[in-house]
C-alpha cells in the first residue's frame, strides 16, 4: 500500500492564476487594455450556467474583462452562427467560448467550426486540434492542458510510463491521449485510449502507471482496477444524493476515491483536482490570445 499525495488543483491553479494576473497587468500597461473573454450560454442547463459563471468570476479575479452572453433555449442555429460571426470580428474581444452542450436543435460542430481559430480559447476548432497534434503553437483544450500543468507542477514523472486514458471524448480523452504521447514533458508516455468497447478494462487499467479517468460515470474506477503506486487523475464530476449533507448532495468523480487513494502515489481529487485547473487553462489561453 502506497502513501498517496494529492494533486491539488486549487493550490496549483492559484499559483498559476497569480502569474496570469501579473501578465494581465503587463499587457494592460503595454497596450492600454487587458484581456477580455466572452462566454456564450444558450438555454437553461443548470450545470452549464454554474460552469460559465465560474469562468466569468475567475476572469474578474485575475483582472480580465469578461462578458456573459445568455441566449434563450429557442435561439436558432442561424442566430447563434450570426452571433459567433459578430464575436469573431469584435476587436475589443481576445477570445470567446460557446458553452457545451448546446440545445439539441443546434449542431455544435457547425458552431465550433464557425469560431475563428485565433479566438478559439477553448481549443476545440479543428485547426487548433491539428496544431496540438503537430506540436505547433495554438490553443490547447482546457481540461487536458490543465491536467498537463498539474502533473508539471508536482513534477510527476511521465517519460516511459504507461498512461491509460478511459474515455474518448473530443474535449478530454482524445486530446489527453495526444498530449501524454508527445515528445515533451509531461509526455513521452506509451498511451492506451480505452472506451466503451474496450475488452477487459480492469486488466488494462491495472497495467497503468498513470490512469486518467474521463468516462463520465460516477465512482466507476474501483481499487481492484488500479496498480499499487499508480498516479490517478479523476476528470469526472457528478452530484449524487446524500441525505447526510445539508445540501442534500455531494460531489464525486469517476473514481471511488476512498478505496483507490490508498493505492496511489498521486491522486487528483474531486472536487479540487482537475476542475480548478480547467478554468486556469482557459485564462491562460485568453492571456495568450491578448498577448499575440
Ligand atoms: N462543456 C464542458 N466542458 C466545456 C469546456 O471546456 N468548454 C465549453 N465551451 N463547454 C464545455
Amino acid at each position: 500500500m502506497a502513501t498517496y499525495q494529492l494533486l491539488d488543483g486549487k493550490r496549483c491553479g492559484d499559483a498559476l492564476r497569480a502569474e496570469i494576473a501579473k501578465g494581465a497587468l503587463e499587457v494592460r500597461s503595454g497596450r492600454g487594455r487587458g484581456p477580455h473573454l466572452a462566454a456564450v450560454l444558450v438555454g437553461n442547463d443548470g450545470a452549464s450556467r454554474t460552469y460559465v459563471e465560474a469562468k466569468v468570476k475567475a476572469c474578474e479575479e485575475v483582472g480580465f474583462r469578461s462578458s456573459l452572453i445568455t441566449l434563450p433555449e429557442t435561439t436558432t442555429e442561424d442566430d447563434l452562427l450570426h452571433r459567433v460571426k459578430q464575436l469573431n470580428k469584435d476587436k475589443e474581444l481576445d477570445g470567446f467560448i460557446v458553452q457545451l452542450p448546446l440545445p439539441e436543435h443546434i449542431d455544435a460542430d457547425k458552431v465550433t467550426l464557425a469560431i475563428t481559430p485565433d479566438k478559439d480559447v477553448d481549443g476545440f476548432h479543428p485547426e487548433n486540434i491539428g496544431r496540438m497534434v503537430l506540436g505547433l503553437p495554438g490553443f490547447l483544450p482546457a481540461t487536458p492542458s490543465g491536467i498537463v500543468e498539474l502533473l508539471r507542477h508536482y513534477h510527476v514523472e511521465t517519460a516511459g510510463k504507461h498512461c491509460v486514458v478511459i474515455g474518448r471524448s473530443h474535449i478530454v480523452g482524445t486530446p489527453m491521449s495526444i498530449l501524454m504521447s508527445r515528445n515533451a514533458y509531461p509526455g513521452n508516455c506509451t498511451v492506451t485510449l480505452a472506451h466503451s468497447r474496450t475488452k477487459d478494462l480492469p486488466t488494462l487499467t491495472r497495467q497503468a502507471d498513470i490512469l486518467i479517468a474521463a468516462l463520465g460515470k460516477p465512482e466507476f474506477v474501483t481499487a481492484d482496477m488500479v496498480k499499487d503506486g499508480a498516479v490517478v487523475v479523476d476528470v469526472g464530476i457528478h452530484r449524487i444524493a446524500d441525505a447526510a449533507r445539508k445540501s442534500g448532495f455531494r460531489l464525486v468523480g469517476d473514481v471511488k476515491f476512498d478505496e483507490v487513494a490508498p493505492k496511489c502515489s498521486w491522486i487528483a481529487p474531486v472536487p479540487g483536482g482537475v476542475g480548478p485547473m480547467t478554468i486556469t487553462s482557459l485564462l491562460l489561453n485568453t492571456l495568450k490570445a491578448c498577448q499575440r
Side-chain angles (χ1 to χ4, degrees), residues 20 40 83 87 101 119 140 182 262 271 284 287:
I20 293 168
V40 181
R83 284 307 276 257
L87 296 170
K119 285 191 179 175
L140 296 177
R182 286 195 306 185
L284 213 49
L287 177 61

Side-chain angles (χ1 to χ4, degrees), residues 240-250:
I240 61 167
D242 185 344
R245 302 278 175 110
K246 214 167 136 192
S247 61
F249 69 87
R250 68 194 161 94

Side-chain angles (χ1 to χ4, degrees), residues 40 48 51 55 97-101 122 124 141-143 171-172 278:
V40 181
S48 289
Y51 294 141
K55 290 170 184 178
I97 63 162
V98 177
Q99 186 67 21
L100 303 175
D122 255 334
F124 292 171
T143 301
I171 63 179
V172 186
T278 296

Side-chain angles (χ1 to χ4, degrees), residues 152-167:
R152 187 198 312 280
H153 182 84
Y154 286 101
H155 308 290
V156 173
E157 263 183 60
T158 59
K161 305 289 184 190
H162 184 195
C163 175
V164 175
V165 180
I166 318 175

Side-chain angles (χ1 to χ4, degrees), residues 230-254:
V231 176
V232 173
V233 178
D234 189 352
V235 185
I237 184 147
H238 316 273
R239 272 183 181 196
I240 61 167
D242 185 344
R245 302 278 175 110
K246 214 167 136 192
S247 61
F249 69 87
R250 68 194 161 94
L251 293 175
V252 298
D254 288 353

Side-chain angles (χ1 to χ4, degrees), residues 27-79:
V27 266
R28 179 171 298 111
S29 59
R31 55 179 271 195
R33 133 172 130 63
H36 179 194
L37 172 78
V40 181
L41 176 66
V42 186
N44 312 312
D45 184 276
S48 289
R49 175 169 289 273
T50 307
Y51 294 141
V52 167
E53 285 172 354
K55 290 170 184 178
V56 167
K57 182 164 166 268
C59 281
E60 285 161 17
E61 285 168 2
V62 293
F64 290 9
R65 189 174 152 204
S66 64
S67 302
L68 175 56
I69 300 163
T70 51
L71 301 174
E73 181 82 23
T74 50
T75 304
T76 65
E77 191 177 277
D78 277 350
D79 286 344

